[in-house]
Amino acid sequence: MAIARCLPVALPHAIPVREILPWAIFSGLLLLLGIYFVGVEEGALAIFNGMYVHEFVHDGRHLLGFPCH
């Protein structure tokens, strides 16, 4: 008869907030930049001239409910 052996399992360690915070801030800034380009980039507040960015994210604008027409 075979005897089953259990391997020791390491418990997960908590990640300190000071290690997560820079990544959370960076991710939040990228999210805000993405929302700006999808939702606002056209007209008087445009960073880039022309409608290139608007046309690139046009379908995303409609998907997220931003008016553009």
Side-chain angles (χ1 to χ4, degrees):
M1 181 178 283
I3 298 174
R5 294 188 180 186
C6 295
L7 297 175
V9 177
L11 297 175
H13 299 293
I15 300 173
V17 173
R18 68 177 179 266
E19 291 183 16
I20 295 175
L21 191 60
W23 290 103
I25 292 172
F26 177 69
S27 300
L29 290 174
L30 283 179
L31 178 66
L32 288 174
L33 185 65
I35 289 173
Y36 169 78
F37 277 114
V38 171
V40 183
E41 178 63 31
E42 68 176 313
L45 299 176
I47 294 175
F48 302 105
N49 291 333
M51 297 292 285
Y52 299 111
V53 174
H54 172 81
E55 292 301 326
F56 183 73
V57 297
H58 186 86
D59 292 337
R61 291 175 64 90
H62 289 295
L63 180 68
L64 295 174
F66 288 100
C68 65
H69 297 270

XYZ file of all heavy atoms in Angstrom:
538
model
N 0.831 -1.155 0.000
C 0.000 0.000 0.000
C 0.898 1.248 0.000
O 1.847 1.332 0.761
C -0.901 -0.010 1.229
C -1.815 1.156 1.275
S -2.931 1.131 2.677
C -4.116 -0.046 2.160
N 0.585 2.204 -0.881
C 1.376 3.429 -0.985
C 0.940 4.424 0.079
O -0.229 4.539 0.409
C 1.210 4.037 -2.359
N 1.910 5.150 0.587
C 1.629 6.178 1.586
C 1.771 7.537 0.908
O 2.801 7.830 0.300
C 2.600 6.077 2.773
C 2.427 4.721 3.470
C 2.378 7.211 3.747
C 3.437 4.463 4.550
N 0.742 8.346 1.008
C 0.771 9.681 0.404
C 1.506 10.635 1.334
O 1.289 10.641 2.539
C -0.643 10.179 0.156
N 2.382 11.414 0.763
C 3.128 12.401 1.542
C 2.715 13.795 1.089
O 2.553 14.049 -0.100
C 4.622 12.235 1.349
C 5.132 10.953 1.903
C 6.620 10.931 1.856
N 7.100 9.665 2.394
C 8.355 9.396 2.595
N 9.272 10.298 2.287
N 8.714 8.253 3.086
N 2.573 14.675 2.030
C 2.217 16.058 1.727
C 3.469 16.913 1.726
O 4.294 16.821 2.636
C 1.232 16.599 2.765
S -0.349 15.754 2.751
N 3.604 17.712 0.713
C 4.723 18.654 0.660
C 4.374 19.891 1.459
O 3.213 20.319 1.491
C 5.021 19.029 -0.790
C 5.467 17.877 -1.698
C 5.594 18.375 -3.123
C 6.778 17.310 -1.211
N 5.344 20.490 2.108
C 5.047 21.721 2.858
C 4.646 22.843 1.902
O 5.228 23.011 0.828
C 6.360 22.047 3.575
C 7.406 21.295 2.845
C 6.739 20.104 2.218
N 3.635 23.565 2.298
C 3.116 24.654 1.474
C 3.479 25.974 2.131
O 3.210 26.183 3.312
C 1.581 24.543 1.328
C 1.035 25.716 0.538
C 1.216 23.225 0.679
N 4.092 26.862 1.358
C 4.445 28.183 1.882
C 3.215 29.070 1.861
O 2.475 29.119 0.874
C 5.549 28.806 1.043
N 2.977 29.758 2.952
C 1.843 30.669 3.027
C 2.164 31.954 2.278
O 3.315 32.400 2.267
C 1.526 30.980 4.489
C 1.098 29.777 5.334
C 0.940 30.202 6.781
C -0.186 29.193 4.803
N 1.169 32.562 1.639
C 1.424 33.818 0.922
C 1.763 34.938 1.904
O 1.240 34.990 3.018
C 0.110 34.097 0.194
C -0.905 33.309 0.934
C -0.212 32.126 1.527
N 2.640 35.806 1.484
C 3.043 36.938 2.309
C 2.284 38.175 1.877
O 2.009 38.370 0.694
C 4.547 37.193 2.187
C 5.382 36.034 2.635
N 5.443 35.620 3.936
C 6.185 35.190 1.954
C 6.248 34.581 4.047
N 6.713 34.289 2.828
N 1.975 39.020 2.809
C 1.303 40.288 2.501
C 2.297 41.224 1.822
O 3.466 41.279 2.193
C 0.764 40.922 3.770
N 1.817 41.952 0.826
C 2.650 42.932 0.139
C 2.432 44.276 0.820
O 1.300 44.744 0.921
C 2.283 43.019 -1.352
C 2.484 41.663 -2.017
C 3.127 44.076 -2.050
C 1.999 41.604 -3.440
N 3.512 44.920 1.259
C 3.352 46.217 1.934
C 2.788 47.279 0.986
O 3.052 47.278 -0.216
C 4.769 46.592 2.353
C 5.565 45.327 2.266
C 4.880 44.463 1.261
N 2.016 48.189 1.567
C 1.394 49.264 0.778
C 2.450 50.123 0.108
O 2.259 50.587 -1.015
C 0.472 50.111 1.683
C -0.050 51.327 0.948
C -0.675 49.269 2.200
N 3.586 50.346 0.754
C 4.627 51.205 0.164
C 5.201 50.614 -1.122
O 5.798 51.325 -1.919
C 5.718 51.497 1.174
C 6.553 50.308 1.547
C 7.680 50.691 2.506
N 8.442 49.537 2.872
C 8.227 48.801 3.949
N 7.265 49.131 4.780
N 8.983 47.767 4.205
N 5.039 49.303 -1.329
C 5.478 48.688 -2.585
C 4.385 48.739 -3.648
O 4.677 48.747 -4.831
C 5.896 47.242 -2.343
C 7.166 47.113 -1.529
C 7.598 45.675 -1.367
O 7.105 44.816 -2.126
O 8.433 45.418 -0.479
N 3.144 48.770 -3.248
C 2.025 48.812 -4.185
C 1.721 50.239 -4.622
O 1.340 50.474 -5.777
C 0.772 48.178 -3.552
C 1.009 46.702 -3.301
C -0.448 48.363 -4.428
C -0.122 46.027 -2.566
N 1.902 51.196 -3.739
C 1.498 52.585 -3.995
C 2.096 53.188 -5.268
O 1.361 53.783 -6.057
C 1.807 53.450 -2.777
C 1.219 54.841 -2.782
C -0.305 54.786 -2.867
C 1.646 55.599 -1.542
N 3.402 53.068 -5.537
C 3.918 53.648 -6.793
C 3.261 53.040 -8.035
O 2.978 53.750 -9.000
C 5.416 53.332 -6.758
C 5.734 53.078 -5.337
C 4.491 52.524 -4.713
N 3.017 51.734 -8.019
C 2.374 51.087 -9.160
C 0.922 51.509 -9.291
O 0.406 51.662 -10.397
C 2.481 49.572 -9.043
C 3.873 49.098 -9.248
C 4.749 48.693 -8.289
C 4.583 49.036 -10.484
N 5.950 48.366 -8.853
C 5.875 48.561 -10.205
C 4.245 49.313 -11.796
C 6.827 48.373 -11.195
C 5.197 49.133 -12.788
C 6.466 48.668 -12.480
N 0.251 51.707 -8.163
C -1.136 52.170 -8.204
C -1.218 53.583 -8.762
O -2.097 53.893 -9.570
C -1.745 52.109 -6.810
N -0.294 54.460 -8.368
C -0.278 55.831 -8.889
C 0.028 55.821 -10.384
O -0.625 56.522 -11.170
C 0.734 56.689 -8.109
C 0.237 56.888 -6.681
C 0.974 58.026 -8.798
C 1.239 57.548 -5.764
N 1.018 55.033 -10.794
C 1.376 54.939 -12.210
C 0.199 54.418 -13.034
O -0.116 54.962 -14.099
C 2.600 54.024 -12.366
C 3.017 53.808 -13.790
C 3.570 54.845 -14.526
C 2.864 52.575 -14.390
C 3.960 54.651 -15.841
C 3.244 52.363 -15.694
C 3.792 53.408 -16.422
N -0.467 53.380 -12.541
C -1.620 52.827 -13.250
C -2.761 53.838 -13.329
O -3.432 53.952 -14.360
C -2.120 51.557 -12.554
O -1.108 50.593 -12.539
N -2.978 54.581 -12.249
C -4.021 55.606 -12.253
C -3.735 56.710 -13.257
O -4.645 57.183 -13.946
N -2.477 57.128 -13.351
C -2.117 58.158 -14.332
C -2.295 57.657 -15.763
O -2.766 58.403 -16.628
C -0.678 58.630 -14.101
C -0.457 59.455 -12.847
C 1.033 59.736 -12.655
C -1.246 60.755 -12.893
N -1.921 56.403 -16.017
C -2.148 55.835 -17.352
C -3.632 55.743 -17.671
O -4.047 56.017 -18.805
C -1.509 54.451 -17.464
C -0.015 54.402 -17.659
C 0.465 52.955 -17.721
C 0.417 55.155 -18.894
N -4.437 55.391 -16.678
C -5.880 55.322 -16.868
C -6.446 56.701 -17.192
O -7.246 56.854 -18.122
C -6.546 54.749 -15.628
C -8.063 54.652 -15.665
C -8.500 53.638 -16.709
C -8.594 54.276 -14.304
N -6.023 57.717 -16.444
C -6.496 59.077 -16.717
C -6.054 59.566 -18.093
O -6.815 60.238 -18.796
C -6.004 60.032 -15.639
C -6.670 59.891 -14.282
C -5.999 60.798 -13.262
C -8.149 60.202 -14.382
N -4.835 59.227 -18.488
C -4.356 59.613 -19.816
C -5.180 58.924 -20.902
O -5.553 59.554 -21.899
C -2.879 59.248 -19.961
C -2.204 59.682 -21.248
C -2.143 61.203 -21.331
C -0.820 59.082 -21.331
N -5.495 57.659 -20.701
C -6.327 56.937 -21.662
C -7.725 57.524 -21.751
O -8.274 57.685 -22.838
N -8.314 57.858 -20.606
C -9.644 58.471 -20.607
C -9.601 59.830 -21.294
O -10.522 60.190 -22.030
C -10.192 58.589 -19.179
C -10.550 57.203 -18.663
C -11.407 59.506 -19.113
C -10.955 57.167 -17.217
N -8.515 60.588 -21.095
C -8.400 61.879 -21.779
C -8.406 61.680 -23.289
O -9.139 62.358 -24.008
C -7.120 62.612 -21.357
C -6.852 63.807 -22.237
C -7.554 64.989 -22.044
C -5.958 63.739 -23.293
C -7.354 66.075 -22.873
C -5.750 64.818 -24.124
C -6.450 65.982 -23.913
O -6.253 67.045 -24.737
N -7.575 60.765 -23.776
C -7.483 60.582 -25.227
C -8.772 60.054 -25.820
O -9.158 60.430 -26.920
C -6.318 59.669 -25.601
C -5.009 60.397 -25.663
C -4.013 60.116 -24.761
C -4.792 61.364 -26.614
C -2.812 60.787 -24.815
C -3.602 62.057 -26.682
C -2.601 61.765 -25.769
N -9.474 59.190 -25.113
C -10.724 58.652 -25.647
C -11.848 59.665 -25.509
O -12.674 59.822 -26.402
C -11.096 57.330 -24.937
C -12.486 56.885 -25.328
C -10.089 56.250 -25.275
N -11.901 60.398 -24.402
C -13.055 61.243 -24.134
C -12.928 62.703 -24.469
O -13.930 63.354 -24.723
N -11.731 63.268 -24.485
C -11.615 64.726 -24.590
C -10.791 65.179 -25.788
O -10.952 66.306 -26.237
C -10.984 65.288 -23.284
C -10.895 66.794 -23.310
C -11.779 64.853 -22.074
N -9.929 64.357 -26.293
C -8.968 64.783 -27.316
C -9.649 65.161 -28.629
O -9.792 64.344 -29.523
C -7.944 63.677 -27.553
C -6.927 63.965 -28.624
C -6.034 65.153 -28.331
O -5.749 65.442 -27.179
O -5.627 65.803 -29.307
N -10.109 66.363 -28.694
C -10.614 66.976 -29.921
C -11.010 68.413 -29.592
O -11.240 68.740 -28.448
C -11.805 66.217 -30.507
C -13.061 66.289 -29.674
C -14.231 65.612 -30.351
O -14.448 65.864 -31.542
O -14.905 64.854 -29.687
N -11.054 69.235 -30.557
C -11.519 70.592 -30.346
C -10.506 71.496 -29.674
O -9.309 71.386 -29.886
N -10.984 72.414 -28.822
C -10.145 73.441 -28.229
C -9.107 72.883 -27.257
O -8.057 73.478 -27.067
C -11.014 74.465 -27.502
N -9.378 71.750 -26.632
C -8.455 71.190 -25.655
C -7.495 70.174 -26.252
O -6.789 69.490 -25.520
C -9.244 70.531 -24.519
C -10.161 71.453 -23.723
C -10.952 70.659 -22.709
C -9.376 72.548 -23.060
N -7.441 70.070 -27.557
C -6.633 69.042 -28.214
C -5.146 69.309 -28.039
O -4.683 70.439 -28.154
C -6.969 68.970 -29.693
N -4.405 68.263 -27.739
C -2.947 68.354 -27.662
C -2.357 68.276 -29.059
O -1.415 68.979 -29.393
C -2.392 67.220 -26.781
C -2.839 67.410 -25.337
C -0.877 67.170 -26.849
C -2.437 66.282 -24.418
N -2.926 67.420 -29.900
C -2.440 67.225 -31.259
C -3.375 67.913 -32.240
O -4.588 67.882 -32.079
C -2.359 65.734 -31.591
C -1.480 64.968 -30.645
C -2.024 64.143 -29.684
C -0.105 65.087 -30.722
C -1.226 63.439 -28.812
C 0.711 64.391 -29.857
C 0.150 63.567 -28.889
N -2.801 68.525 -33.277
C -3.608 69.156 -34.310
C -4.238 68.092 -35.198
O -3.695 67.012 -35.384
C -2.741 70.085 -35.171
C -2.288 71.284 -34.393
O -2.951 71.707 -33.450
N -1.143 71.826 -34.763
N -5.386 68.412 -35.741
C -6.067 67.476 -36.629
C -6.945 66.523 -35.853
O -7.121 66.615 -34.655
N -7.520 65.584 -36.594
C -8.460 64.638 -36.004
C -7.889 63.219 -35.961
O -8.623 62.258 -35.890
C -9.762 64.651 -36.820
C -10.485 65.976 -36.810
S -11.151 66.375 -35.201
C -12.524 65.278 -35.149
N -6.561 63.083 -35.986
C -5.955 61.762 -36.051
C -6.249 60.930 -34.794
O -6.625 59.774 -34.897
C -4.442 61.865 -36.266
C -4.086 62.547 -37.548
C -3.486 63.793 -37.558
C -4.386 61.941 -38.766
C -3.182 64.432 -38.745
C -4.082 62.563 -39.961
C -3.472 63.807 -39.943
O -3.180 64.428 -41.110
N -6.073 61.521 -33.631
C -6.329 60.793 -32.384
C -7.810 60.484 -32.264
O -8.201 59.374 -31.886
C -5.826 61.592 -31.171
C -6.214 60.914 -29.868
C -4.324 61.779 -31.238
N -8.650 61.440 -32.614
C -10.093 61.228 -32.542
C -10.520 60.062 -33.423
O -11.299 59.211 -33.003
C -10.833 62.500 -32.952
C -12.308 62.306 -33.074
N -13.141 62.310 -31.991
C -13.102 62.064 -34.152
C -14.384 62.099 -32.391
N -14.383 61.949 -33.700
N -10.024 60.016 -34.629
C -10.396 58.934 -35.541
C -9.828 57.591 -35.079
O -10.448 56.556 -35.280
C -9.924 59.245 -36.963
C -10.650 60.413 -37.596
C -12.153 60.203 -37.689
O -12.588 59.054 -37.884
O -12.891 61.188 -37.555
N -8.668 57.609 -34.420
C -8.060 56.371 -33.943
C -8.887 55.750 -32.814
O -9.021 54.537 -32.727
C -6.629 56.636 -33.472
C -5.902 55.406 -33.037
C -5.458 54.481 -33.970
C -5.663 55.158 -31.703
C -4.788 53.347 -33.575
C -4.999 54.027 -31.297
C -4.556 53.114 -32.236
N -9.449 56.587 -31.937
C -10.214 56.079 -30.791
C -11.722 56.238 -30.993
O -12.482 56.121 -30.051
C -9.773 56.765 -29.480
C -8.338 56.458 -29.154
C -9.999 58.261 -29.534
N -12.163 56.482 -32.220
C -13.560 56.789 -32.505
C -14.516 55.695 -32.026
O -15.512 55.985 -31.360
C -13.736 57.018 -34.008
C -15.097 57.480 -34.378
N -15.443 58.802 -34.355
C -16.196 56.795 -34.757
C -16.712 58.908 -34.711
N -17.191 57.706 -34.955
N -14.247 54.449 -32.343
C -15.143 53.363 -31.939
C -15.147 53.191 -30.424
O -16.175 52.873 -29.833
C -14.753 52.058 -32.624
C -15.015 52.107 -34.117
O -15.856 52.921 -34.538
O -14.377 51.339 -34.855
N -14.002 53.405 -29.801
C -13.935 53.335 -28.343
C -14.768 54.413 -27.686
O -15.367 54.198 -26.627
N -14.818 55.582 -28.308
C -15.654 56.665 -27.775
C -17.114 56.243 -27.755
O -17.811 56.446 -26.778
C -15.507 57.926 -28.625
C -14.168 58.582 -28.527
C -14.062 59.758 -29.480
N -15.008 60.803 -29.141
C -14.748 61.809 -28.315
N -13.572 61.893 -27.766
N -15.654 62.708 -28.061
N -17.595 55.650 -28.830
C -18.986 55.214 -28.887
C -19.241 54.064 -27.910
O -20.285 54.019 -27.269
C -19.357 54.785 -30.303
C -19.445 55.935 -31.253
N -20.398 56.923 -31.132
C -18.695 56.259 -32.325
C -20.232 57.802 -32.107
N -19.207 57.423 -32.842
N -18.292 53.152 -27.801
C -18.432 52.021 -26.890
C -18.558 52.495 -25.444
O -19.346 51.963 -24.666
C -17.242 51.078 -27.036
C -17.263 49.843 -26.134
C -18.381 48.907 -26.557
C -15.927 49.135 -26.214
N -17.794 53.526 -25.065
C -17.802 54.034 -23.696
C -18.867 55.106 -23.475
O -19.003 55.605 -22.355
C -16.430 54.577 -23.335
C -15.331 53.507 -23.296
C -13.977 54.157 -23.085
C -15.611 52.481 -22.227
N -19.593 55.484 -24.508
C -20.702 56.427 -24.344
C -20.313 57.878 -24.447
O -21.108 58.744 -24.043
N -19.151 58.215 -24.979
C -18.777 59.610 -25.171
C -19.383 60.123 -26.470
O -19.221 59.490 -27.516
C -17.245 59.766 -25.254
C -16.544 59.576 -23.948
C -15.933 58.379 -23.649
C -16.491 60.606 -23.025
C -15.285 58.189 -22.457
C -15.837 60.426 -21.822
C -15.241 59.214 -21.537
N -20.062 61.249 -26.452
C -20.609 61.783 -27.699
C -19.498 62.406 -28.541
O -18.564 63.000 -28.016
C -21.589 62.858 -27.218
C -21.060 63.269 -25.895
C -20.429 62.058 -25.293
N -19.611 62.264 -29.839
C -18.594 62.888 -30.697
C -19.162 63.374 -32.017
O -18.443 63.913 -32.812
C -17.424 61.938 -30.934
S -17.826 60.471 -31.849
N -20.442 63.231 -32.267
C -21.033 63.715 -33.515
C -22.001 64.828 -33.209
O -22.756 64.770 -32.309
C -21.799 62.613 -34.252
C -20.935 61.496 -34.692
N -20.319 61.472 -35.905
C -20.572 60.351 -34.066
C -19.643 60.357 -36.013
N -19.782 59.668 -34.905
